[in-house]
Amino acid sequence: MNKVILTGDRPTGKLHIGHYVGSLRRRVELQDSGEYDRIFIMIADAQALTDNADNPEKIRQNVIEVALDYLAAGLDPKKVNIFIQSAVPELTELAFYYMNLVSVARVQRNPTVKTEIEMRGFAGESIPTGFFCYPISQAADITLFHGTTVPAGEDQKPMIELTNEIVRRFNSIYGPVLNECQILLPQNQACMRLPGTDGKAKMSKSLGNCIYLSDSAKELKKKVNSMYTDPEHLTIEQPGHLEGNTVFTYLDAFCTDDDFARFLPDYPNLQALKDHYTRGGLGDGTCKKFLFNVLNDRLEPMRQRRAEYEQNIQGVYDILAAGTAAAREIAQQTIAEVRHAMRIDYFEDKELIAEQAKRYKGE
Ligand code: TRP
């Protein structure tokens, strides 16, 4: 069986370093590993519209931001298909068939959807039907491309479980057309859910606690310097705590031993730095300066690539158009298989037509 990656992001804003360690960095490694037959990266504008119906302009403006962030992060359009979800109408069709295979109760049990409904403050049953159904549409996103591997955060786990349930149900009713998939989770706990710079559970635009991939060195420095650390660590001499200390969580997600050799050679590795911090005698300033250097080292090549692509916006749309055309080719093949399995490919179904013609002639 082919190995196929399918993943994506809602274009509701620029991508931040949480997106990067959560999935984007992995995608670039996978693209360069050469182990995958196809890689599809989807800008999920249709999904973003499920809770932004009144603000389509936001989505419209952010498609290019996400595309620029992808390219800046190192996704190579020669190796991956970056495409726009709404431009592949086969996705909508497949999702519509899948809706018949999933009960309302099953979607309601999805913990990610539950939290999201709360977060968005949809009272009672005022939640848009499209938003409620997005996990089902996400199953279509993955399976339409015969995705085998979905690099994504932990919050996407319930989607993958549902996807595989739909696959099994579909195949058992209509025949073996679809394949199951696996989630590929981030490397460690810090990458799984990178907190905001204020120490809050999640980076979110509305909380103003994000470090964006496109932040300048100056913005980055300001954000790192104001990061949440250990409120009980008042003097350098005092022992510091690591738990909930955002600076160390970010270091867990980003730094390598090589970074110590380059930026903080007094320590061989992160463990040595942590030991000193918890022993006492190490100030937050030193750790923040180191973190700034590490992050800046990762972001600088992205800024440069972004700046180049920003000078050629038409070229970026051309990349999206080409990626979308390639995605549609696969999409049309799969949807033809699906229709055939469901026996709704009427015009191709010579047997059906002949049998009915015969019946009506009274033969
Ligand atoms: N839900 C993802 C997000 O919030 C975007 C997405 C849509 C996705 N379809 C997908 C991710 C399929 C992985 C697989 O950003």
Side-chain angles (χ1 to χ4, degrees), residues 15-186:
L15 300 184
H16 51 62
I17 60 172
H19 293 112
Y20 185 67
V21 295
S23 169
L24 202 44
R25 181 170 62 187
R26 203 27 144 349
R27 297 178 201 172
V28 178
E29 289 166 12
L30 295 171
Q31 131 194 304
D32 295 330
S33 76
E35 278 177 37
Y36 289 83
D37 298 286
R38 288 204 189 89
I39 303 182
F40 295 99
I41 310 288
M42 181 179 75
I43 302 182
D45 65 329
Q47 187 176 106
L49 283 165
T50 62
D51 64 334
N52 284 285
D54 55 353
N55 197 359
E57 188 58 19
K58 176 168 115 187
I59 310 306
R60 179 168 174 259
Q61 294 297 337
N62 277 308
V63 168
I64 190 77
E65 297 302 331
V66 171
L68 286 166
D69 286 331
Y70 282 168
L71 295 165
L75 287 178
D76 177 354
K78 288 195 206 73
K79 297 180 184 163
V80 305
N81 287 309
I82 305 176
F83 73 96
I84 300 183
Q85 186 183 27
S86 65
V88 182
E90 290 78 10
L91 286 169
T92 327
E93 179 178 342
L94 189 59
F96 197 66
Y97 302 143
Y98 285 176
M99 284 182 198
N100 306 325
L101 306 178
V102 183
S103 70
V104 170
R106 178 66 188 87
V107 178
Q108 267 166 341
R109 261 203 334 265
N110 183 316
T112 303
V113 174
K114 266 191 196 162
T115 335
E116 285 178 324
I117 290 174
E118 276 164 33
M119 257 164 44
R120 284 164 180 74
F122 289 129
E125 293 180 350
S126 73
I127 167 178
T129 314
F131 182 80
F132 183 76
C133 295
Y134 96 75
I136 302 176
S137 119
Q138 202 159 317
D141 299 338
I142 299 167
T143 52
L144 186 65
F145 300 99
H146 293 293
T148 55
T149 312
V150 183
E154 215 177 13
D155 59 332
Q156 300 300 307
K157 248 183 175 169
M159 315 300 171
I160 305 299
E161 279 165 28
L162 180 67
T163 301
N164 288 335
E165 279 174 38
I166 292 174
V167 165
R168 290 192 290 268
R169 185 110 209 269
F170 184 100
N171 287 350
S172 78
I173 301 174
Y174 304 113
V177 174
L178 308 171
N179 60 271
E180 295 191 35
C181 64
Q182 265 184 332
I183 192 165
L184 193 60
L185 290 170

Side-chain angles (χ1 to χ4, degrees), residues 235-299:
T235 68
I236 291 184
E237 289 71 36
Q238 280 177 322
H241 297 93
L242 300 173
E243 203 167 312
N245 189 322
T246 322
V247 170
F248 281 93
T249 310
Y250 283 23
L251 287 174
D252 278 331
F254 276 94
C255 89
T256 62
D257 293 354
D258 189 46
D259 290 317
F260 282 93
R262 292 169 66 201
F263 304 120
L264 197 59
D266 290 350
Y267 302 85
N269 53 38
L270 186 55
Q271 194 53 50
L273 189 75
K274 285 179 177 174
D275 289 346
H276 192 183
Y277 191 77
T278 49
R279 219 168 38 235
L282 174 60
D284 286 331
T286 306
C287 304
K288 284 182 170 174
K289 193 164 170 227
F290 176 56
L291 176 62
F292 167 78
N293 282 322
V294 171
L295 289 177
N296 199 48
D297 180 69
R298 305 299 186 275
L299 295 192

Side-chain angles (χ1 to χ4, degrees), residues 163-223:
T163 301
N164 288 335
E165 279 174 38
I166 292 174
V167 165
R168 290 192 290 268
R169 185 110 209 269
F170 184 100
N171 287 350
S172 78
I173 301 174
Y174 304 113
V177 174
L178 308 171
N179 60 271
E180 295 191 35
C181 64
Q182 265 184 332
I183 192 165
L184 193 60
L185 290 170
Q187 286 88 342
N188 64 35
Q189 206 53 42
C191 301
M192 208 79 93
R193 187 155 297 190
L194 200 73
T197 51
D198 55 358
K200 295 235 171 71
K202 218 179 159 168
M203 277 203 178
S204 110
K205 195 178 175 189
S206 54
L207 294 174
N209 61 2
C210 303
I211 293 175
Y212 294 99
L213 297 182
S214 50
D215 278 351
S216 68
K218 205 171 144 202
E219 286 166 314
L220 178 65
K221 180 145 249 167
K222 212 172 118 205
K223 289 182 184 177

